[in-house]
Amino acid sequence: MFGYYFQLGMRSLRRNPVLTALMVVAIGFGVAASMITWSVFRVVSGNPIPEKSSQLFTVLVDNRGPQYNNDGEPPEALTYTDANALVRAHKAPHQTLFYPIALAVLPGGNRSLPLKAIGYATNADFFGMFNVPFQYGSGWSAQEDARRTGVVVLSHEFNQQVFGGADSVGRDIDLSGHTYRVVGVTQHWDPKPRYFDLFDGSAFDEPAQIYIPFHRADDLKIDTAGRNNCGGAPNTGVDAGREGWLHGECSWIPMWVQLDTPAQVSAYRNFLEGYAAEQQRAGRFRWAPNVRLRDVADWLDFEDVVPPESRISLIVAAGFFVICLVNTIGLLLAKFMRRSAEIGVRRALGAPRGEIYRQFLIEAGTVGAAGGVLGLLLTAVGVGGVGLLFSPEIAQLAHVDVSLMLSTLLLAILATMIAALYPTWRAAKVQPAWQLKSN
């Protein structure tokens, strides 16, 4: 019966090509506008690490006091003093700290010019906590962290650039005049948004190219290439040289811990409050302990990672789609009611209202499928132009894949069938006796 109704629907659509074309164009443009904006929104609002997002927590400690905070919230990173003290205490099963670096890769082999390499100074737990996949080798060990060994992990792309993609584990590389031994090469790894480094505004930036041990970078006095938030707090130490700055109150080191159970979360929060209370007793903090443990979802929400223009454009596009569907309702109503005589004959011959519903909803689904195909073509074109609305680093994330194609077709078909409910109801209410008498 589905095939028979489908043939009837196709025949009906060909009978009124102008009306059919208007409906297909309305649905096509409406669904395309929605899916173009959705292609951006789904990327910027997605969960970048769903398997562990409830186990990873960023650690925040108020080191400035209420007069320098925004709405009572602690700074979005830790000071050098707090980060090192919390890591040394080792109260979490896994913990990492890091800061952005930018080093020069000096010429070697066939290269004649130095390269700039961006990345992080971090510790051994970074790779396991954030599920960094490896192509060759692995991250360094905790013992190498403690020995402050000169080792480095390269990204897949940077290894391709420097070593031609070969297995470079065990080879040496010169970074800003110091030799590092390659211990691992990651696979392509670029979580978006980059949830762990929102402090530096790097949510959608280019991925890191190198990773070196935090303490090694500290020994070599490698400065941060990221944000340094002193925020007007007293005792920033910036006038007392590097040592004064390190032990001042500027916040620049994000720290994350992995806590697998609610009991671990509760215990670590107690430890963090105890640490802040200890600083208060020592006279460093002159306010009550003010700490935060935010998991990935909470952190993304707090930082407002989703660009406001993405939300607004999605709402506007959805509104446009609704207007297109309202127009489609009117066109379908006109189309169906023109066939009142046909409906009356079918009803007089014994066709129940259910059959009328099935016939016209299948016909509407056919219109929706045609609109979906047009919408798919327009979406493919439109995704290439999202750079007109969004910044380049966000626009480059939008792409058409299988899930977006299927979603476009399904949305067009389902929305059109829903829009056809009222016209179909009106068609099913046609009185056969009146139609037979009037014709």
Side-chain angles (χ1 to χ4, degrees):
M1 191 58 75
F2 174 83
Y4 174 67
Y5 286 152
F6 179 74
Q7 288 180 359
L8 286 181
M10 293 297 293
R11 197 178 304 163
S12 170
L13 296 179
R14 286 195 296 268
R15 197 180 303 148
N16 300 289
V18 176
L19 205 56
T20 302
L22 286 174
M23 290 187 290
V24 169
V25 168
I27 295 166
F29 274 88
V31 76
S34 299
M35 298 313 290
I36 291 169
T37 53
W38 173 251
S39 70
V40 176
F41 187 80
R42 65 172 180 164
V43 176
V44 298
S45 64
N47 186 342
I49 184 166
E51 66 277 14
K52 293 176 79 174
S53 61
S54 62
Q55 299 166 267
L56 298 176
F57 296 82
T58 188
V59 179
L60 304 174
V61 176
D62 184 359
N63 67 308
R64 295 180 184 169
Q67 68 270 37
Y68 297 106
N69 288 339
N70 293 326
D71 300 325
E73 291 294 332
E76 298 153 303
L78 299 180
T79 64
Y80 179 86
T81 301
D82 292 330
N84 279 282
L86 295 177
V87 167
R88 276 196 304 272
H90 212 294
K91 295 296 183 180
H94 301 285
Q95 55 188 8
T96 188
L97 72 176
F98 58 87
Y99 68 91
I101 56 174
L103 302 178
V105 182
L106 298 186
N110 297 325
R111 288 181 291 108
S112 57
L113 296 175
L115 302 172
K116 179 184 176 183
I118 59 172
Y120 293 108
T122 183
N123 67 355
D125 271 358
F126 178 94
F127 305 100
M129 285 177 61
F130 297 141
N131 290 351
V132 181
F134 277 86
Q135 181 180 10
Y136 303 120
S138 64
W140 58 82
S141 65
Q143 290 72 27
E144 287 172 311
D145 259 339
R147 291 197 299 266
R148 301 168 184 252
T149 309
V151 292
V152 63
V153 167
L154 308 180
S155 71
H156 167 81
E157 292 77 9
F158 197 66
N159 185 61
Q160 184 74 34
Q161 190 175 3
V162 176
F163 294 108
D167 183 355
S168 58
V169 173
R171 298 177 66 173
D172 290 339
I173 184 172
D174 192 314
L175 300 174
S176 294
H178 298 278
T179 301
Y180 293 78
R181 176 171 49 87
V182 179
V183 295
V185 177
T186 71
Q187 296 179 19
H188 173 73
W189 183 64
D190 187 20
K192 289 289 189 302
R194 196 183 305 165
Y195 57 95
F196 56 83
D197 193 18
L198 301 181
F199 170 69
D200 289 297
S202 305
F204 303 104
D205 284 355
E206 292 295 317
Q209 297 169 305
I210 58 171
Y211 307 85
I212 64 174
F214 183 94
H215 294 306
R216 176 71 175 174
D218 192 15
D219 288 348
L220 296 177
K221 300 180 179 179
I222 298 175
D223 289 329
T224 177
R227 187 176 160 204
N228 178 39
N229 181 13
C230 297
N235 188 28
T236 60
V238 293
D239 297 328
R242 178 178 172 79
E243 284 303 312
W245 169 67
L246 286 180
H247 297 94
E249 296 297 341
C250 293
S251 303
W252 54 284
I253 303 178
M255 179 179 173
W256 286 77
V257 293
Q258 180 175 332
L259 305 169
D260 298 327
T261 65
Q264 289 180 353
V265 175
S266 177
Y268 196 87
R269 184 173 284 109
N270 291 337
F271 157 70
L272 210 54
E273 290 173 348
Y275 171 80
E278 183 182 327
Q279 299 302 307
Q280 184 186 17
R281 288 193 294 274
R284 181 178 165 219
F285 296 170
R286 296 185 176 82
W287 47 87
N290 183 20
V291 300
R292 298 287 187 279
L293 268 181
R294 296 188 185 278
D295 65 15
V296 174
D298 188 18
W299 185 230
L300 292 173
D301 184 56
F302 177 76
E303 288 289 308
D304 287 329
V305 171
V306 179
E309 61 267 29
S310 175
R311 294 183 192 275
I312 295 171
S313 59
L314 184 62
I315 293 172
V316 171
F320 176 67
F321 189 32
V322 170
I323 293 173
C324 292
L325 288 177
V326 170
N327 288 327
T328 303
I329 291 174
L331 294 170
L332 285 172
L333 185 61
K335 184 177 179 62
F336 290 173
M337 297 313 294
R338 280 185 182 179
R339 295 157 63 187
S340 296
E342 172 194 331
I343 298 169
V345 170
R346 287 203 64 203
R347 293 280 289 122
L349 292 176
R353 285 201 173 97
E355 291 301 317
I356 304 298
Y357 272 104
R358 270 188 283 275
Q359 176 186 347
F360 285 99
L361 287 179
I362 289 173
E363 183 173 329
T366 307
V367 175
V373 172
L374 176 62
L376 196 56
L377 296 174
L378 294 173
T379 300
V381 175
V383 165
V386 295
L388 298 174
L389 291 175
F390 301 95
S391 58
E393 61 268 20
I394 292 178
Q396 68 178 354
L397 302 175
H399 62 279
V400 177
D401 55 16
V402 174
S403 66
L404 187 71
M405 294 168 65
L406 292 176
S407 300
T408 303
L409 290 173
L410 284 175
L411 177 64
I413 293 172
L414 289 177
T416 309
M417 292 180 73
I418 291 172
L421 287 175
Y422 176 68
T424 303
W425 176 75
R426 289 286 303 274
K429 295 286 284 183
V430 166
Q431 296 297 322
W434 188 88
Q435 289 296 330
L436 293 174
K437 188 184 296 180
S438 62
N439 288 279

